[in-house]
Amino acid sequence: MRRKLGFDPYLALIVAVAQMVIGRGASWGQREVREPLDLYAIGLLLVGPLAVLLSRRYPLLTTAAGLAACDLFLIGGYAYGPSFISPAVLLVLLVLRGRRLMAWVMAGMTLLSFLTYAWMVGNRDIFHSVWILTSIMLLMVVAELVRNVRERRAERERVAEEEARRQASEERLTMAQELHDVLAHNISLIHVQASTALHLIDANPEQARTALATIKTASKEVLGEMRSVLNVLREGAPRSPTAGLDHLDELIERSGQDVTVKRVGSRPLPSQVERAAYRIVQESLTNAARHAPGAAVNVRLEYGERELTVRVADTGSGAPGALSESGSGNGIPGMRERASALGGTLVAGPSGTGFQVEARLPLPEETS
């Protein structure tokens, strides 16, 4: 509220106390050469704090008033020292609040008024004039340095805030993609197995029971994975990948499909590459179950020195072209986005009577 109203009561109070205390001490120390403080002098000393109080709202008027009170205090023959505080504070405030041109103009007027007073009282020593000039210049330079430090700190905070917003946006996109992959795979699996169970429940109850068991497992798995993904929204939640290639066997087991996995080579993988590879395999199995139910699927992982190759191919349902990139789903575009985000490529299309997905994900050089 204080900032909104344009008041600076605490700073004004500090200036008032400082001027009164220093004024009492300076008046006693200069009692033989300067006039003692009276009500007029005290009133002039209070003009400066009042100007500081209102300086945010009326910067030019208050600075001029503070300077005028200082000059009148000196002309009145009162002690040197206390009246200088308010003009100095007002000039610094102008600089810090971005009114630099006004501040330097008022600093020039302050210098001119002090030099004029010195000449009026007969003090024409060049070194005294240089000392006044140096003091005012030093005050303004320090104010400019403080302003620069504050602006740089504000800029760093702004950049940090923008970076935090960008990272939060990327995390939201990642979570959305994770949720899409989890839901698409498991719901597709549930749909296929439910259709199988309904078809076989009378003719082959045992096989229907197996399909229902798969549905139970898949529904439990989707709840667990959704909980894992959504946990990143909680304070202090771990941000590790929700799935990796170490869970590939579990993925294949609960898919209910005829899947063969072959690994060529082995090496540690970055977490983002491992997660992308897992999701690509998962989405490919989802597409196979949806468009080529009952088809055999081959999964091949090749661990190269510079890239991981993920190849998923199914034998098809006997209807070539059942799945193409012109489909309405987000599966293939989503897989391609995952690969592109890592600097890799993904190619998907018909292969013989079936369909094949091949992704190449770059890997960092291995360190010994």
Side-chain angles (χ1 to χ4, degrees):
M1 178 64 71
R2 181 178 77 252
R3 184 177 297 273
K4 182 177 180 181
L5 293 176
F7 296 161
D8 290 286
Y10 298 120
L11 181 59
L13 179 61
I14 293 173
V15 172
V17 172
Q19 289 196 156
M20 294 305 298
V21 172
I22 295 175
R24 289 292 183 181
S27 179
W28 183 85
Q30 303 174 36
R31 61 186 181 278
E32 296 181 358
V33 294
R34 307 296 291 178
E35 296 293 329
L37 293 181
D38 53 22
L39 291 178
Y40 175 69
I42 293 175
L44 291 175
L45 288 178
L46 293 178
V47 171
L50 181 61
V52 172
L53 180 66
L54 302 175
S55 61
R56 191 183 299 273
R57 179 175 293 183
Y58 309 107
L60 179 59
L61 180 61
T62 53
T63 304
L67 177 58
C70 176
D71 291 339
L72 291 175
F73 188 88
L74 295 177
I75 294 173
Y78 302 108
Y80 295 116
S83 62
F84 299 147
I85 298 177
S86 294
V89 171
L90 290 167
L91 290 176
V92 171
L93 289 177
L94 286 179
V95 174
L96 296 184
R97 291 168 182 169
R99 301 179 180 273
R100 299 174 61 207
L101 178 59
M102 184 186 298
W104 282 96
V105 171
M106 295 305 296
M109 294 181 64
T110 302
L111 174 63
L112 181 60
S113 66
F114 287 175
L115 292 178
T116 301
Y117 171 77
W119 279 59
M120 286 175 56
V121 297
N123 189 348
R124 302 183 180 183
D125 185 2
I126 186 64
F127 293 104
H128 182 262
S129 300
V130 171
W131 181 85
I132 295 176
L133 172 63
T134 303
S135 299
I136 295 177
M137 287 297 298
L138 181 61
L139 174 71
M140 298 302 293
V141 168
V142 170
E144 291 284 359
L145 290 176
V146 173
R147 182 189 64 84
N148 287 336
V149 170
R150 292 179 60 179
E151 287 183 352
R152 290 179 182 178
R153 183 174 60 185
E155 178 65 16
R156 287 195 299 268
E157 292 175 354
R158 185 189 64 80
V159 171
E161 184 178 350
E162 290 183 355
E163 179 65 16
R165 285 199 298 266
R166 184 189 65 80
Q167 291 181 356
S169 177
E170 291 181 354
E171 288 181 0
R172 286 194 294 269
L173 290 175
T174 300
M175 284 189 289
Q177 195 171 35
E178 289 290 318
L179 285 173
H180 167 268
D181 291 344
V182 170
L183 292 173
H185 172 75
N186 287 282
I187 292 177
S188 295
L189 178 60
I190 290 172
H191 173 73
V192 171
Q193 295 297 330
S195 299
T196 301
L198 287 173
H199 181 70
L200 299 175
I201 193 168
D202 294 325
N204 195 336
E206 289 300 323
Q207 192 170 350
R209 185 177 292 107
T210 301
L212 291 174
T214 302
I215 291 175
K216 178 182 178 181
T217 302
S219 61
K220 181 180 180 181
E221 182 68 22
V222 71
L223 288 175
E225 290 209 40
M226 287 183 63
R227 187 178 298 112
S228 177
V229 172
L230 295 177
N231 272 344
V232 301
L233 295 176
R234 298 175 183 172
E235 185 70 22
R239 296 181 178 269
S240 57
T242 58
L245 292 179
D246 54 333
H247 298 289
L248 186 58
D249 293 337
E250 299 174 12
L251 172 66
I252 292 172
E253 182 180 355
R254 70 172 181 267
S255 70
Q257 299 168 265
D258 180 13
V259 182
T260 301
V261 179
K262 183 175 181 180
R263 292 179 171 87
V264 180
S266 178
R267 60 166 294 184
L269 299 176
S271 60
Q272 62 269 25
V273 174
E274 189 165 342
R275 180 171 55 181
Y278 178 91
R279 293 305 185 192
I280 289 172
V281 173
Q282 183 183 59
E283 183 64 32
S284 299
L285 293 179
T286 300
N287 289 338
R290 183 185 301 159
H291 300 282
V297 182
N298 294 313
V299 178
R300 182 182 177 91
L301 302 174
E302 297 182 9
Y303 296 79
E305 293 183 0
R306 297 187 176 180
E307 67 179 14
L308 171 68
T309 302
V310 181
R311 186 178 298 111
V312 183
D314 63 71
T315 57
S317 61
L323 176 64
S324 68
E325 295 198 47
S326 61
S328 59
N330 294 320
I332 292 176
M335 289 189 289
R336 182 172 287 112
E337 288 176 4
R338 283 188 179 274
S340 298
L342 299 175
T345 59
L346 185 139
V347 178
S351 177
T353 59
F355 197 84
Q356 176 175 290
V357 174
E358 181 177 283
R360 296 182 178 273
L361 309 177
L363 298 175
E365 294 184 4
E366 290 187 272
T367 57
S368 55

